[in-house]
Amino acid sequence: GFLKPKKQENNRSSSITLALQSIFDEKTIRLLIPIVGSLLAIPTWYLTTHTGGGDNAFQFAMFWLSLEYLVAECWFGPTIAVLQTSVGTSKTGTAQGIFVLTGAVGNVAPTILGWLYGNQVADLPSTTTSNEVLADLLGWGVCAGYLLSAIFFGVSVFVSGESDAIPAKK
């Protein structure tokens, strides 16, 4: 039927998987997904906020935003999988709670951007519109967040590799 992948496509994805598995362990492969996703989110988000003001500006912005969602939101599943396999079963709840708390702290960023926006709009020269300020703040602020995410996911690759080398206490 139409739901079965073609053999050629299956072979291609299998060869990519085998190539990755020959270089990296499973945990590292899982962490590469959010690293690549965060890096791809940088240009797609920037293009979302800096699409020119032509007749189709909204459509172009929505195109880039949809791509941004596809690449940027792929991190959650692999991250949770690595988190759950990295800590012992007695610490899974604590690790999950810390993970959720970290996300809550990250939700302060829109408040900070809003405060910066309010301060910058108050000091605007008459030649600058508040739309330009908002696009710049969102563009650079969110892109910096994605870059930091990629860096921290990269650090987690090395930390998770080191934890595998440390023998567990009995």
Side-chain angles (χ1 to χ4, degrees):
F2 67 95
L3 293 177
K4 291 183 181 178
K6 294 178 183 173
K7 193 166 188 125
Q8 181 181 5
E9 291 173 9
N10 192 18
N11 288 340
R12 198 174 322 135
S13 67
S14 295
S15 63
I16 292 170
T17 303
L18 288 173
L20 284 173
Q21 287 174 342
S22 70
I23 301 169
F24 303 110
D25 64 351
E26 184 178 339
K27 198 181 296 184
T28 303
I29 292 170
R30 287 181 179 172
L31 289 171
L32 286 175
I33 294 169
I35 292 169
V36 172
S38 294
L39 292 174
L40 289 174
I42 294 170
T44 55
W45 178 258
Y46 187 83
L47 289 168
T48 298
T49 59
H50 288 83
T51 299
D55 289 339
N56 296 325
F58 179 76
Q59 287 83 359
F60 284 126
M62 292 302 100
F63 169 77
W64 289 115
L65 182 61
S66 64
L67 287 180
E68 187 268 343
Y69 279 140
L70 285 173
V71 298
E73 299 303 323
C74 65
W75 65 272
F76 198 77
T79 303
I80 296 295
V82 169
L83 179 68
Q84 290 179 347
T85 59
S86 296
V87 298
T89 55
S90 65
K91 297 176 184 155
T92 303
T94 303
Q96 188 73 29
I98 292 170
F99 176 74
V100 170
L101 180 62
T102 304
V105 170
N107 286 333
V108 174
T111 304
I112 294 169
L113 286 174
W115 179 77
L116 289 170
Y117 173 73
N119 287 335
Q120 287 190 4
V121 168
D123 300 331
L124 278 180
S126 61
T127 58
T128 307
T129 68
S130 62
N131 291 343
E132 293 168 341
V133 172
L134 184 59
D136 284 340
L137 275 174
L138 287 174
W140 293 108
V142 173
C143 289
Y146 283 132
L147 181 60
L148 285 172
S149 293
I151 290 168
F152 288 131
F153 281 123
V155 168
S156 70
V157 168
F158 293 107
V159 171
S160 69
E162 289 175 8
S163 68
D164 290 343
I166 301 170
K169 290 183 182 179
K170 292 186 179 185

